[in-house]
Amino acid sequence: VDEDELDAIILGKSSNTNECLEVVITALPTKGTLYQAAFEADLTAAYDTMITDSSDTSLVAITATGTTLTDARGIVLYAPEANEFDSTSYAEFGYKYVDTTTADESSEATVTLTVVSVNDGPTGNAVAAEIADGDDEAIVTLTGSDVDNDASTPNAYDPMFAPHFFATVEDFPALGTLYQVDADDSTGDEINSEGTPTVTSYVSKIL
């Protein structure tokens, strides 16, 4: 499965003799959450109508062992914890088959899950700027974070190291003008939506 995604896992419910089988969860995942399969409202239950957003309020989390899957094909949905991944062995859960006619049960099977890392975009922090009495301008230092930054290499996303990111202005002030800040904190080029919406200062400063 992919990091930060809700993925379908098909456990299957068929047998060589076409018995009517149920899929029962015998062990909850060691990390992450299982959900009953869910589909978009008023549409035929199919793979392309399956809900893939773990924040959808119609999803029903599986929170207890002994829960029977409601999907006729034995489909269960799984979401890992936010921003976590492990391409070797992230989590495990268990299930078994139950013959609804004879009540015979299979032995428990274990599903080992791996989670593939995806690149998360950086997040900007809210900052406040105040122009002091007697001044007509103020330098604002923009800050942000990236959950993919490795704590063991704290400079990995520092603007002085590659790769790095620059801030982009999405909403411009109703009054006043934004400018780039040069290396000596002097006023640089105007920042506007037509020409230069990206802050090019290596320390993400704007004026």
Side-chain angles (χ1 to χ4, degrees):
V1 299
D2 289 330
E3 175 190 350
D4 298 331
E5 295 289 337
L6 181 68
D7 286 308
I9 300 172
I10 304 174
L11 301 179
K13 297 180 66 172
S14 62
S15 70
N16 293 332
T17 54
N18 294 317
E19 297 117 328
C20 186
L21 302 179
E22 290 181 335
V23 179
V24 177
I25 300 300
T26 56
L28 297 176
T30 48
K31 288 191 289 186
T33 306
L34 289 176
Y35 297 92
Q36 297 283 6
F39 303 88
E40 296 178 21
D42 302 323
L43 295 176
T44 302
Y47 293 114
D48 58 353
T49 63
M50 189 173 297
I51 292 174
T52 57
D53 181 1
S54 59
S55 65
D56 193 296
T57 56
S58 66
L59 289 173
V60 178
I62 298 174
T63 59
T65 58
T67 299
T68 299
L69 299 189
T70 57
D71 183 75
R73 292 155 294 187
I75 296 175
V76 66
L77 302 179
Y78 175 76
E81 300 293 335
N83 301 319
E84 290 188 355
F85 59 89
D86 187 332
S87 60
T88 303
S89 178
Y90 176 78
E92 294 181 344
F93 71 90
Y95 72 97
K96 66 181 177 182
Y97 294 117
V98 177
D99 188 321
T100 57
T101 302
T102 65
D104 290 339
E105 298 181 357
S106 71
S107 57
E108 181 183 43
T110 299
V111 178
T112 300
L113 299 159
T114 60
V115 178
V116 179
S117 173
V118 298
N119 183 35
D120 296 282
T123 300
N125 299 327
V127 295
E130 181 179 351
I131 299 178
D133 291 340
D135 292 337
D136 57 3
E137 61 186 29
I139 293 178
V140 182
T141 300
L142 306 179
T143 62
S145 61
D146 193 317
V147 297
D148 290 325
N149 193 6
D150 186 348
S152 65
T153 55
N155 290 326
Y157 285 89
D158 189 295
M160 295 305 293
F161 294 83
H164 56 258
F165 53 80
F166 291 104
T168 299
V169 178
E170 298 288 341
D171 297 307
F172 289 82
L175 300 173
T177 306
L178 298 178
Y179 294 92
Q180 305 281 359
V181 176
D182 292 334
D184 58 356
D185 284 350
S186 61
T187 303
D189 295 332
E190 179 181 343
I191 301 173
N192 57 66
S193 57
E194 289 77 22
T196 55
T198 299
V199 179
T200 57
S201 164
Y202 269 87
V203 288
S204 296
K205 289 182 178 180
I206 59 174
L207 183 66

